[in-house]
Amino acid sequence: MKGLILKDLYNAMTQGKVLLFMVVIFGVCFANAAEGTLIIMCTIYAAVLVINNMALDEMCAWETFALTMPVTRRQLALSKYVISVIYAFGGTLLGAIMTVVLRAAGFGGGGAPLGSILVITGVGMAISALFIAVLIPVNFKFGIQKGRFVLLSIAALIGGGGVLLSGSRGTRIMAAIGTFGEINGMLAALIAAAAVAVILVVSFGISVKIMEKKEF
Amino acid sequence: MAAEALKISGLCKNFDDFCLKDIELAVPEGAVVGLIGENGAGKTTTIKAAVDLLHRDKGEVEFFGKRMEEDPSGIRKEVGVVFDSLHFSQGLDADKIEKICEAIYENWDKKTFEECMEKFSLPHKKAIKDFSTGMKMKLNLAIGLSHNARLLIMDEPTSGLDPVVRDDILDIFMDFMQEENHAILLSSHITSDLEKIADYIAFIHKGRLIFCMPKDTLLYQYGVIKCSKRDFENICAEDKLAWRIEDYQCSVLTGDRRRAAARYPEMIIDTPTIDEIMLLYVKGERK
């Protein structure tokens, strides 16, 4: 597992200039946005960097070689989740540092309390986890090129679902969730964290199944 | 009799347009087995099915007497698989690749890797995208040799390389075979390489193993009878393994050159090359 993570980190480092460029772009774009926005954006961007790793793996048929080494298909799948979490934490940290630096330089959306920044960070993590939960199995199954089309289809379905929910029934459901969150803040956070964890576990299970069936 | 480093029994793998059927192949310890066959004959499929990159429909594969399911990690530590290209991202350099391999293989031998890098004159810090084809293959081999593997399985390792680099690589194989419990399964189109180093030749055609026999038997017992169409009719069926009838000449592969020389003194009987044998089986007719 350590070798697989190391390989992904080295691969990410080879794209250091692009990553640095993106960080600068985020800094410029979100310097004056509401505080926490930069953290959310950095977290999500960093988490989905795993797709770059998967694209590089696909280009050099890494998995074909990796499976001739003492590496299992399960470990190959798990490594992508672990590296995503590492990236997400790295992104959060980077976003937080940039926020502090920008605030010190007189930018920023006006001194939000630490508590709300932590909540925003949690939301960023949760969104990242959901992205990862979808992206990884889809790309294992379909590859990067086909995977894009599948993801677009999923996005369209979610968009369609959003339109359906925008009706009066949807508004009532969202309002009920909102009210529950306001009354039971901690409980809502725990339920959300548990739901994200379950989704990640299910996603990992699907990825393992895909990898076990896959031929190289 | 030497123990078997690799034993493939009754291996079948079906695809929509191709099937591998009942492959029986053994690689004894201390031996180099050359796997030959035309493009699409099933060489790579055999190798991939043997190392579990493809799911087998039928058949058993044993490494050092153990099935892969019994000890996958232990077996993979002792088997080095070398493909025809380097499966690492092009931005990495040899040092980073070594660190990755060191973290994956418990039995990684840093000293051997260093020796290989020096022997093959490979740079440590140069991105592999700037490596020549030969350098990439040498790095591939350095990886395969640096975890104390006892069996090397190689799929077209010398294809696309110039004769000088190919010769260097064959020398590396020879060095590897100095240990008597080492073995190599080498798939190659370049039969002249196999004539230099293989102990056995296994020939796959259309997903079937046509033969697997000692190279010396092929080269010193087999013969190619060159004759006219009229003479062809006079050759006994038992002397005809495969034949090709062309406009002015017939070529007949025979399994016993001396017997054929005694029976048909008026005919020319040549020592065959592996290429000739393969061509007669692939392009000619067989009994």
Side-chain angles (χ1 to χ4, degrees):
Chain A
M1 179 59 72
K2 189 181 150 200
L4 300 178
I5 302 296
L6 200 59
K7 188 242 348 149
D8 282 343
L9 288 175
Y10 282 145
N11 279 342
M13 279 160 59
T14 62
Q15 299 180 315
K17 283 179 190 165
V18 179
L19 300 182
L20 194 65
F21 176 72
M22 288 307 293
V23 168
V24 172
I25 292 288
F26 280 168
V28 171
C29 291
F30 302 110
N32 277 320
E35 267 178 357
T37 310
L38 195 54
I39 296 175
I40 285 197
M41 292 311 295
C42 284
T43 306
I44 296 172
Y45 175 69
V48 298
L49 277 180
V50 71
I51 299 308
N52 280 9
N53 284 130
M54 293 179 89
L56 286 171
D57 288 354
E58 192 177 293
M59 270 166 60
C60 65
W62 158 253
E63 286 155 352
T64 303
F65 181 66
L67 288 172
T68 68
M69 303 166 104
V71 167
T72 63
R73 289 167 187 249
R74 188 184 178 84
Q75 284 172 331
L76 275 184
L78 182 61
S79 71
K80 295 302 174 208
Y81 289 86
V82 173
I83 196 77
S84 299
V85 171
I86 292 172
Y87 287 158
F89 277 108
T92 305
L93 189 65
L94 185 67
I97 291 169
M98 285 171 72
T99 303
V100 170
V101 170
L102 286 168
R103 189 188 281 187
F107 294 97
L114 182 65
S116 73
I117 290 184
L118 282 177
V119 170
I120 290 168
T121 305
V123 172
M125 285 283 189
I127 295 171
S128 304
L130 294 177
F131 270 117
I132 292 164
V134 177
L135 287 172
I136 294 177
V138 164
N139 284 301
F140 273 139
K141 176 72 183 170
F142 299 102
I144 298 296
Q145 293 299 334
K146 282 186 197 165
R148 281 187 191 139
F149 291 106
V150 176
L151 288 170
L152 281 175
S153 310
I154 293 171
L157 280 174
I158 292 171
V163 170
L164 287 176
L165 276 176
S166 65
S168 60
R169 183 189 288 181
T171 311
R172 281 201 301 278
I173 294 169
M174 296 309 286
I177 292 171
T179 311
F180 179 77
E182 280 169 22
I183 298 168
N184 306 293
M186 183 55 81
L187 184 61
L190 284 174
I191 291 173
V196 167
V198 169
I199 289 169
L200 274 180
V201 169
V202 170
S203 166
F204 172 62
I206 294 170
S207 292
V208 170
K209 287 268 179 232
I210 292 167
M211 288 302 278
E212 279 172 354
K213 279 190 177 173
K214 203 167 175 178
E215 297 196 307
F216 296 91
Chain B
M1 191 180 158
E4 280 152 350
L6 171 66
K7 187 181 176 194
I8 300 173
S9 322
L11 172 63
C12 295
K13 174 69 191 170
N14 295 310
F15 297 97
D16 292 341
D17 54 350
F18 174 77
C19 73
L20 207 59
K21 192 140 176 65
D22 294 326
I23 301 291
E24 300 277 343
L25 183 64
V27 181
E29 287 184 357
V32 178
V33 176
L35 193 56
I36 59 168
E38 76 273 31
N39 285 332
K43 304 187 296 293
T44 301
T45 307
T46 302
I47 288 174
K48 285 188 167 182
V51 298
D52 275 359
L53 289 171
L54 294 173
H55 300 302
R56 299 186 285 276
D57 292 322
K58 224 177 98 183
E60 291 286 331
V61 178
E62 286 180 5
F63 293 88
F64 314 107
K66 280 189 283 189
R67 285 184 294 125
M68 186 67 96
E69 307 85 89
E70 289 174 39
D71 182 15
S73 178
I75 286 172
R76 287 194 171 110
K77 277 180 208 160
E78 297 206 85
V79 179
V81 182
V82 177
F83 292 108
D84 58 350
S85 58
L86 193 55
H87 292 277
F88 284 90
S89 172
Q90 297 290 300
L92 300 181
D93 59 34
D95 275 359
K96 290 194 175 75
I97 289 175
E98 198 225 340
K99 286 193 178 97
I100 294 165
C101 293
E102 195 180 1
I104 290 176
Y105 284 107
E106 280 171 25
N107 51 342
W108 183 255
D109 189 340
K110 214 172 169 56
K111 192 167 156 268
T112 304
F113 186 77
E114 280 307 315
E115 283 169 5
C116 287
M117 291 292 290
E118 201 170 316
K119 194 172 165 187
F120 304 161
S121 306
L122 293 172
H124 286 261
K125 298 283 181 196
K126 193 175 183 179
I128 55 172
K129 64 172 181 278
D130 298 322
F131 275 28
S132 67
T133 314
M135 287 161 84
K136 283 180 188 169
M137 185 45 69
K138 285 178 175 175
L139 181 56
N140 231 346
L141 277 171
I143 296 166
L145 294 169
S146 300
H147 56 94
N148 299 314
R150 285 160 61 197
L151 168 66
L152 282 184
I153 297 179
M154 293 180 278
D155 191 13
E156 306 281 357
T158 54
S159 65
L161 302 179
D162 66 59
V164 178
V165 177
R166 268 174 32 219
D167 198 60
D168 288 349
I169 286 176
L170 293 185
D171 284 345
I172 298 164
F173 297 164
M174 299 284 202
D175 283 348
F176 176 77
M177 290 307 295
Q178 295 304 307
E179 295 283 335
E180 61 183 23
N181 65 345
H182 283 184
I184 294 178
L185 173 64
L186 171 63
S187 141
S188 182
H189 285 299
I190 305 169
T191 51
S192 58
D193 289 350
L194 296 179
E195 279 172 20
K196 281 184 197 162
I197 64 155
D199 299 297
Y200 294 85
I201 299 292
F203 174 43
I204 291 187
H205 178 52
K206 291 184 177 170
R208 284 167 172 77
L209 187 76
I210 305 298
F211 61 72
C212 179
M213 62 174 71
K215 179 190 71 183
D216 289 349
T217 304
L218 276 178
L219 299 185
Y220 302 120
Q221 283 186 24
Y222 276 44
V224 177
I225 307 171
K226 307 278 185 184
C227 61
S228 65
K229 281 182 187 172
R230 199 180 59 194
D231 286 343
F232 175 77
E233 303 300 330
N234 297 326
I235 298 174
C236 302
E238 67 172 338
D239 288 326
K240 292 194 277 196
L241 293 175
W243 59 91
R244 203 173 168 193
I245 301 170
E246 290 164 300
D247 289 344
Y248 301 104
Q249 183 179 262
C250 297
S251 303
V252 181
L253 182 69
T254 183
D256 191 334
R257 194 161 73 218
R258 284 187 187 164
R259 187 179 65 193
R263 283 181 179 173
Y264 320 109
E266 73 286 2
M267 297 183 202
I268 298 165
I269 304 172
D270 289 339
T271 305
T273 62
I274 295 174
D275 267 345
E276 274 179 306
I277 295 170
M278 197 168 94
L279 280 172
L280 277 165
Y281 272 112
V282 172
K283 293 191 136 183
E285 295 169 62
R286 278 183 282 150
K287 62 178 180 182

